[in-house]
Amino acid sequence: PLALDLRRFPPIQCMIGYGSGVFRQEGYSRTVRPMVDLIFVVKESDTRAWHSDNLRTHAAHYSGLMRLFGPGAIARLQHWGPGLYFNPKVHVPTRDGDPIEVKYGVMSDTALLRDLSHWDSLYVAGRLHKPCLMEFPGADDRLREKVDA
C-alpha cells in the first residue's frame, strides 16, 4: 500500500509501518493521508555508517543540531531509551514518484530483538500487537523469524 522507494536510503533489514497513515481509519480524511509512521531496522554494526550515509543523502531529514553533531552522536543518541532515533515530517518518494509525509525511526536489529524478547521498553513490541505493514528488503532469516513470531 505504501510503495516507498527504499532504494533511496542506505540498506535496511526491515521496515515496519504502523498507525493511521498506513492503515486508513474511520474519521480521517480520504483525500489527505495522515503522517506515515515507520521504523527502519538496520544492522547493529552498521548504525553509525547508516546515519553517515543517510546524512550525506538526506541531510534535510535531520535537525541542524544533529547535522552539526554528526553520525557518531546520532548513533549514540539512538541507543538511549527504547533504541530509536526519529526523523519527523520528512517527505519520502514512492515508487511512482509522489512523495508522502513520514516520520521514520531508525533502530538496530539488536535493539529490536531485545525489545521483542525481553520487553525492555515495549516501544516496538507494543506496536507489533496492532496492524503493521512489514517489508524485509535485507533481513536475515533470524530477524524475519523473530519479527513474524
Side-chain angles (χ1 to χ4, degrees):
L2 293 178
L4 294 174
D5 188 358
L6 297 178
R7 298 170 305 169
R8 294 181 181 243
F9 289 93
I12 63 170
Q13 300 295 300
C14 173
M15 181 201 73
I16 302 168
Y18 58 93
S20 60
V22 176
F23 299 99
R24 301 282 181 175
Q25 296 177 11
E26 191 152 331
Y28 285 89
S29 167
R30 292 208 177 277
T31 57
V32 179
R33 172 181 241 141
M35 187 179 328
V36 172
D37 297 314
L38 302 171
I39 296 173
F40 292 164
V41 181
V42 303
K43 288 184 178 178
E44 175 75 33
S45 60
D46 295 343
T47 306
R48 186 184 190 288
W50 195 94
H51 285 293
S52 180
D53 291 347
N54 202 44
L55 270 166
R56 237 180 275 114
T57 311
H58 305 291
H61 291 189
Y62 293 85
S63 72
L65 194 57
M66 289 296 103
R67 288 193 302 267
L68 181 66
F69 287 156
I74 296 167
R76 285 190 299 278
L77 182 62
Q78 177 181 318
H79 287 87
W80 291 0
L84 285 123
Y85 178 82
F86 273 98
N87 287 317
K89 297 187 140 292
V90 171
H91 288 91
V92 174
T94 58
R95 286 183 214 122
D96 64 9
D98 294 328
I100 58 173
E101 187 177 52
V102 306
K103 167 183 76 180
Y104 69 90
V106 182
M107 179 178 222
S108 75
D109 54 355
T110 302
L112 172 65
L113 293 175
R114 187 176 52 244
D115 195 37
L116 294 177
S117 300
H118 303 291
W119 296 356
D120 284 358
S121 68
L122 286 176
Y123 192 91
V124 176
R127 278 158 180 72
L128 292 179
H129 283 278
K130 297 179 180 181
C132 291
L133 172 69
M134 291 186 246
E135 293 183 21
F136 297 89
D140 59 30
D141 290 337
R142 180 182 69 102
L143 181 65
R144 182 186 300 262
E145 191 177 287
K146 293 283 189 183
V147 172
D148 281 344

